[in-house]
Amino acid sequence: MTQGKAFKRGVTWAHIVTFILATAMAYVLAVLSSLIFPVLGAPGVSALYVASSVYVPLGIWMGGWGALAGYLSCLFLGLYPSGYTLYQSVIWAFADFIEAFIPALLFRILRIDPDFTVKRGAAARLFPVFVSTGFIILILGIIIQVLLGSLGEPFTSIYVASVYTGLGLAVIGIMLGLLVGDAKTWGVYIASIILTSVASGIWGAATLTLYNVPPPLPAELFWPIFTGWVIGDFIVLSVLSTGILTALTPIFKRTGLYVEGWWA
């Protein structure tokens, strides 16, 4: 406290360095996702866009820094390896800006201090089991698909089963959080998952097929791209982002990197 007012930390070099590292990590994840789980005929689009798993946490934790990291990582993805022009990439990249901006906006305009813990009764013991198990199963499925998916069955089926199993467990964990955790945090987080997936999918698919200078892909690909984008985002955000937020939010909030406003 200083003169009766809470001390507010300004932008530091730690914010800038973390932003740069987050952008680089998101770009690497975006490239790998688009190459390993492509939506056919749509360079840069992934049916399981693992990079989105970091955008929502970054938006909640770091506000504008997270949104900017999402934008730049997608801009670079559009340029390479997707092969879009600079103009096309500049417009398309707002799709990943949206992925961090929506949760950042909701948590800030509603003045919600994110609390992803569950502390009451048996749910407090079951919650981390569902969330962490779903996270681990999906990660293992992704690893199996990357290393052995080219061999076909049974590895492809194992991967598909891991996606649905991980999603099911994560959804149960999210519902437990909503019922016996901080209802505001979990309610806004659920809204963020849905709004982020749909809004980002609309922008991403539309600026690839309908509205750009010029659109790099044919208009008839809008619905396949949109559908793959939204479903993939919903899975990744529900499973991976939930695991990241529940495990790391308490730690991140204790550091000088946590941003209550948009930049500090």
Side-chain angles (χ1 to χ4, degrees), residues 1-254:
M1 301 290 287
T2 303
Q3 296 181 345
K5 295 182 179 180
F7 174 75
K8 185 176 180 180
R9 182 184 288 108
V11 175
T12 67
W13 280 107
H15 289 117
I16 297 171
V17 171
T18 302
F19 155 71
I20 293 172
L21 293 175
T23 302
M25 178 179 66
Y27 172 66
V28 171
L29 290 174
V31 171
L32 292 176
S33 298
S34 64
L35 294 178
I36 296 170
F37 307 106
V39 172
L40 295 180
V45 181
S46 172
L48 200 68
Y49 193 51
V50 178
S52 65
S53 68
V54 302
Y55 295 145
V56 168
L58 285 173
I60 293 173
W61 296 337
M62 297 191 71
W65 296 108
L68 189 57
Y71 179 83
L72 290 178
S73 62
C74 190
L75 172 65
F76 299 145
L77 173 66
L79 295 172
Y80 182 84
S82 303
Y84 302 133
T85 68
L86 177 60
Y87 293 119
Q88 291 167 339
S89 299
V90 164
I91 295 171
W92 180 55
F94 280 102
D96 283 1
F97 175 90
I98 290 170
E99 302 229 16
F101 177 76
I102 286 178
L105 178 66
L106 291 179
F107 273 84
R108 280 157 181 78
I109 63 173
L110 296 175
R111 298 182 179 277
I112 294 174
D113 182 20
D115 179 5
F116 291 93
T117 59
V118 173
K119 302 174 182 177
R120 286 186 278 167
R125 296 187 293 273
L126 293 174
F127 169 76
V129 173
F130 283 115
V131 172
S132 60
T133 304
F135 184 98
I136 292 169
I137 287 175
L138 179 56
I139 292 295
L140 289 176
I142 291 173
I143 293 172
I144 289 171
Q145 178 65 11
V146 170
L147 297 179
L148 302 171
S150 61
L151 299 178
E153 297 296 343
F155 303 109
T156 300
S157 294
I158 292 173
Y159 163 68
V160 172
S162 76
V163 171
Y164 289 112
T165 303
L167 177 61
L169 292 171
V171 168
I172 294 172
I174 291 171
M175 290 300 103
L176 281 175
L178 180 64
L179 292 173
V180 295
D182 183 69
K184 290 183 179 180
T185 293
W186 286 101
V188 172
Y189 176 57
I190 292 170
S192 296
I193 291 175
I194 297 170
L195 292 174
T196 291
S197 300
V198 174
S200 177
I202 291 173
W203 185 278
T207 55
L208 287 179
T209 60
L210 302 176
Y211 310 108
N212 213 310
V213 283
L217 303 177
E220 56 266 25
L221 286 180
F222 173 84
W223 285 111
I225 293 173
F226 172 75
T227 303
W229 192 304
V230 172
I231 293 174
D233 264 16
F234 182 80
I235 293 170
V236 169
L237 297 181
S238 297
V239 182
L240 301 185
S241 291
T242 302
I244 292 170
L245 284 165
T246 54
L248 298 182
T249 296
I251 298 171
F252 206 91
K253 288 172 69 175
R254 290 196 294 268

